[in-house]
Amino acid sequence: MDKIKTSDYRVDNTIHLKDLPTLNMLNTTEKKLKKRLRDTRDKLSKLQDVFYAHNKYSVLVCFQGMDTAGKDSLIREVFQDFNSRGVVVHSFKTPTFKEKQHDYLWRHYRALPDRGKFGVFNRTHYENVLVTRVHPEYILGENIPGINSVDDIDENFWEARFEQINNFEKHLVANGTIIFKFFLHISKEEQKNRLLRRLIRVDKNWKFSPGDLEERELWDQYQDCYEKAINNTSTKVAPWYIIPSDNKKAARTIVADILYDELKVIEEVRYPTLDPNIKSQIEHYKQLLNES
């Protein structure tokens, strides 16, 4: 199996999605990928326990991708060995009436993980420069001063949002949040196959909506918006990682390895040391318990 190098997937320079692969099997079989994921998942769960005990850093893992990119199943498979007390998954849908009474980042800020915990965003604050850019009429529902029609939403508006998002993430990192942003990159052909599967398999029918086909017609627009968002917001403190996702098992393995490789090197994160006074009395406490 090919070695998974974080730098191969991290966005450090301007990218063009059409030039990037949507499939990478790592020169191995699906069986071996499954075993690799199982091994890395186990190491991640042990690392999670250390982060929880250390209680200084939080970890925010963000997933974006076109419909059918595999976000739900990836989250389930990568994080299934985590202790439930230390990880919270948020799936962001259409903003509610209450959420629209605040700025667009408000609902995301409220969902951030506590210190020591992992937060997973299934769709993220980037929806506010993706789906809203494809459908700018949605912005009007935010009731923003100075935005009275779609004509008021120009390039300066989107550049300002990119800057706001970068500042938001910079603030989080400065206060102890480690951010991972993954774009699950699939081909249009693979999306078609996955949508067909939803129609063919009765147990998958519930996932299908006619709206999926309407959004698929806007594929090129979405790709353009993703490209602009990634190029404007992949920063040193919060980089994007583009994951080839036509094969789900390979995508899960790559994401898990990146998470583990990047987190394991934070030397500061370790189990707290026991208070010297308590440590010196351990044998005494054992004796008391044995006598109780």
Side-chain angles (χ1 to χ4, degrees):
M1 182 187 298
D2 289 346
K3 179 177 175 55
I4 297 173
K5 294 172 57 180
T6 296
S7 58
D8 289 342
Y9 304 94
R10 187 178 58 233
V11 176
D12 294 320
N13 300 295
T14 300
I15 56 93
H16 300 286
L17 289 176
K18 64 181 178 61
D19 297 331
L20 300 178
T22 58
L23 178 65
N24 182 357
M25 288 295 293
L26 302 172
N27 284 321
T28 191
T29 64
E30 291 205 355
K31 184 177 180 180
K32 289 182 179 179
L33 284 169
K34 190 173 182 178
K35 182 182 184 305
R36 173 64 173 266
L37 174 60
R38 191 163 56 241
D39 293 342
T40 306
R41 194 167 59 202
D42 180 63
K43 292 187 289 186
L44 267 174
S45 69
K46 291 181 173 64
L47 194 57
Q48 177 219 6
D49 192 61
V50 182
F51 269 84
Y52 187 83
H54 186 249
N55 196 39
K56 181 170 288 188
Y57 292 96
S58 58
V59 181
L60 177 63
V61 188
C62 301
F63 291 102
Q64 286 287 163
M66 297 292 287
D67 288 339
T68 77
K71 296 180 294 295
D72 292 344
S73 61
L74 187 149
I75 291 168
R76 181 189 66 237
E77 294 295 327
V78 171
F79 298 96
Q80 68 174 257
D81 290 346
F82 274 40
N83 188 316
S84 59
R85 70 182 180 180
V87 61
V88 180
V89 179
H90 290 275
S91 296
F92 291 100
K93 306 297 184 182
T94 303
T96 64
F97 174 80
K98 179 176 178 60
E99 288 168 345
K100 287 181 180 179
Q101 302 311 300
H102 299 268
D103 70 274
Y104 69 94
L105 289 173
W106 179 77
R107 65 175 183 157
H108 304 286
Y109 203 102
R110 294 176 70 237
L112 291 171
D114 299 340
R115 294 191 189 281
K117 294 188 177 183
F118 283 63
V120 181
F121 283 4
N122 183 350
R123 297 192 184 277
T124 72
H125 43 295
Y126 283 94
E127 291 291 289
N128 299 286
V129 290
L130 293 167
V131 66
T132 54
R133 193 161 189 172
V134 175
H135 299 282
E137 65 275 14
Y138 293 171
I139 293 291
L140 301 181
E142 296 181 22
N143 205 26
I144 303 171
I147 304 297
N148 301 306
S149 73
V150 172
D151 293 335
D152 296 322
I153 307 170
D154 57 13
E155 192 63 30
N156 290 331
F157 176 88
W158 299 115
E159 289 180 2
R161 282 220 160 169
F162 291 143
E163 184 178 3
Q164 291 158 10
I165 289 173
N166 285 335
N167 288 336
F168 169 64
E169 294 175 351
K170 183 178 180 181
H171 170 73
L172 295 183
V173 171
N175 285 275
T177 300
I178 302 166
I179 301 176
F180 292 91
K181 300 182 299 194
F182 295 103
F183 172 62
L184 304 187
H185 189 31
I186 66 169
S187 64
K188 192 174 183 180
E189 182 68 17
E190 178 60 22
Q191 187 196 56
K192 180 181 75 173
N193 294 335
R194 293 181 186 182
L195 287 172
L196 282 170
R197 198 174 305 129
R198 290 181 179 182
L199 292 170
I200 294 169
R201 289 183 51 175
V202 176
D203 62 325
K204 300 291 184 183
N205 286 170
W206 66 274
K207 289 187 174 184
F208 180 79
S209 166
D212 296 338
L213 300 184
E214 295 173 9
E215 291 298 282
R216 179 173 162 79
E217 291 297 314
L218 303 171
W219 178 275
D220 290 341
Q221 287 179 243
Y222 272 108
Q223 294 294 296
D224 180 60
C225 290
Y226 267 111
E227 196 171 282
K228 288 175 178 174
I230 291 169
N231 284 330
N232 279 278
T233 61
S234 192
T235 62
K236 185 175 181 179
V237 298
W240 276 97
Y241 298 90
I242 298 180
I243 310 300
S245 299
D246 278 2
N247 182 278
K248 291 185 177 183
K249 288 185 176 62
R252 297 163 188 166
T253 303
I254 293 168
V255 167
D257 267 54
I258 290 173
L259 286 172
Y260 180 70
D261 286 347
E262 291 296 295
L263 292 173
K264 72 179 182 181
V265 298
I266 306 176
E267 296 181 358
E268 180 187 353
V269 178
R270 57 175 66 91
Y271 286 114
T273 56
L274 200 58
D275 182 279
N277 293 327
I278 297 176
K279 189 173 183 178
S280 66
Q281 295 293 315
I282 283 182
E283 293 305 319
H284 174 62
Y285 296 139
K286 287 181 182 178
Q287 182 179 347
L288 291 177
L289 282 170
N290 287 325
E291 292 174 354
S292 64

